[in-house]
Amino acid sequence: MERLTLDVNGAFDPAAGGLARADLDALAAPARAAFDGFEARRRAGEVGFADLPADAAAAEASRALAAELGRRFENLLVLGIGGSSLGGRAVLGALCHPFHNLLPQDRRGGLRVFFPDNSDPATFAALLDTVDLERTCFATVTKSGGTAETMSQHMVLRERVVARFGEEGYRERCVLVTDPQRGVLRQIAADERLRALPLGASIGGRFSVLSPVGLLPAAAAGVDTAALLAGAAELEARCRSGAVLENPALLYAAVLHLLDVRRGRRLHVLMPYADALRDLGDWFVQLWAESLGKNPGTGPTPIRAVGATDQHSSLQLMMEGPHDKVVTLVRVAEPRAELTIPLPAGYARHPDLAYLGGHTMGELLEAERRATGAALRKNGRPTISIELPRLEPRTVGQLLMFLELATAYAGGLYGVNAFDQPGVEAGKRYAQGLLGRPGYEKYRDELLGAPAADPALVLG
């Protein structure tokens, strides 16, 4: 069976300022405790993301609804933000054609899928002016039903759709993904007779990619979601040990944790050498940051980079800046496509170009990855390597589950709850107070009562 491979040797390289095996040995008991703590919460029904691959009913409901929408429409707008958007976008970015939405219908194999994500009115207005509403459906994704950014998009789009197609046309075009029992969106589903997929109480937004949150847009775009879930199940099965050298996700969490607390490597760079994993990097940033950043002494900062693009930008800082980074290099062994580099006759006399002739672009990218890793380590920077045989649903499912489990285990190692986000909620309360939400007046008053700005520090 082809599967994800984790190699942490670059994190133990003495030349890279890496760890000693004794550091890992000393973490064996805390790592097992982190594993046991996660499993206890899982058995208690508090945390459910690792069990999603076995939820056949949710997977089938997502596929069936996607198929129904695909028979009637051409465009799917996914209205969600953060974990309600990033996971689906990551899956489509990894597994669909790089220009999926530009392909003709007979080549796409599914709907065109758009993730407006943010509530920037310029972006959302431009999207609504671009797509044909006659051929467009939309999925509103918010577990609570009260996410201001998502519901503002929903209400704007609802008004346009009802005005043009009536209430029945709205019901045909709108589906929801929300809590199965509670929340304002669940009530709206009942009041407006809308189709709704459930997002269980034990599934947090940033851990929801393998739930209907990610499966609906993936299936709508033509992704084999059964294989995606099968790969996730395979990786989860590999991680049923509390021994750090038997569980790849636990090893990854342990090494990153040790590099942080023992070596001051507080910036964790995920650098895939595949454009298709660019959006997955954004998903990882939310997963790692929102799960682990819970107090001033805890919170490694995740950074998304892409090879070889960022070799021409942020690599300079990684290579010669502060010794506070560890870089995870992600390799895809077999690229989805390959191109041989030709050598025109007039170019052969230029040594700076002639050496490229006859190689493939995949060979160039792989040489860049290997060279970057070696140069980082030689310059005192530890690295970690993840390899996927190829980008296909099964291996991408493995990678998603690997990173989710590693995040959960890291929470245990840091002694924080990886499944809440109190800091995010604080900002939301101020914003909702400013907009006049009942019961939030004290937050508005606190914000408006802040000391006046010093005009000398404002330049216009």
Side-chain angles (χ1 to χ4, degrees), residues 27-235:
L27 198 69
R32 182 172 291 278
F35 172 83
D36 290 342
F38 169 71
E39 289 295 323
R41 297 189 70 176
R42 182 178 175 183
R43 289 191 299 271
E46 297 176 23
V47 179
F49 75 85
D51 299 310
L52 286 171
D55 190 347
E60 179 53 37
S62 300
R63 284 193 289 268
L65 183 53
E68 178 187 338
L69 296 173
R71 289 190 290 269
R72 173 71 173 80
F73 301 103
E74 183 177 8
N75 309 308
L76 170 64
L77 276 53
V78 180
L79 310 184
I81 195 166
S84 297
S85 176
L86 291 171
R89 188 196 295 266
V91 172
L92 269 64
L95 295 173
C96 292
H97 188 284
F99 303 102
H100 173 87
N101 285 347
L102 298 180
L103 294 176
Q105 191 169 9
D106 60 347
R107 291 185 58 197
R108 279 199 312 270
L111 292 166
R112 300 160 76 202
V113 183
F114 300 88
F115 296 88
D117 191 65
N118 202 5
S119 52
D120 186 321
T123 304
F124 197 56
L127 176 59
L128 297 185
D129 289 342
T130 300
V131 298
D132 178 5
L133 286 184
E134 173 73 32
R135 301 286 296 154
T136 298
C137 57
F138 62 103
T140 301
V141 186
T142 162
K143 186 174 181 180
S144 68
T147 306
E149 299 90 347
T150 300
M151 292 311 297
S152 69
Q153 292 175 338
H154 173 92
M155 290 187 281
V156 167
L157 185 50
R158 180 190 186 282
E159 180 184 52
R160 293 198 183 193
V161 169
V162 170
R164 184 167 171 185
F165 306 109
E167 295 287 346
E168 186 57 35
Y170 162 61
R171 279 190 287 274
E172 290 176 355
R173 287 167 173 78
C174 179
V175 300
L176 310 176
V177 181
T178 191
D179 188 280
Q181 297 178 327
R182 298 175 295 182
V184 64
L185 202 59
R186 177 54 59 180
Q187 185 61 54
I188 288 173
D191 293 344
E192 298 186 345
R193 292 181 286 127
L194 299 172
R195 292 159 294 179
L197 294 174
L199 178 58
S202 65
I203 310 298
R206 61 186 175 275
F207 290 90
S208 66
V209 61
L210 298 173
S211 78
V213 170
L215 295 180
L216 177 63
V223 171
D224 183 349
T225 54
L228 183 78
L229 291 170
E234 291 165 359
L235 193 285

Side-chain angles (χ1 to χ4, degrees), residues 345-356:
Y347 290 41
R349 66 175 183 270
H350 299 290
D352 289 349
L353 300 176
Y355 76 97
L356 293 171

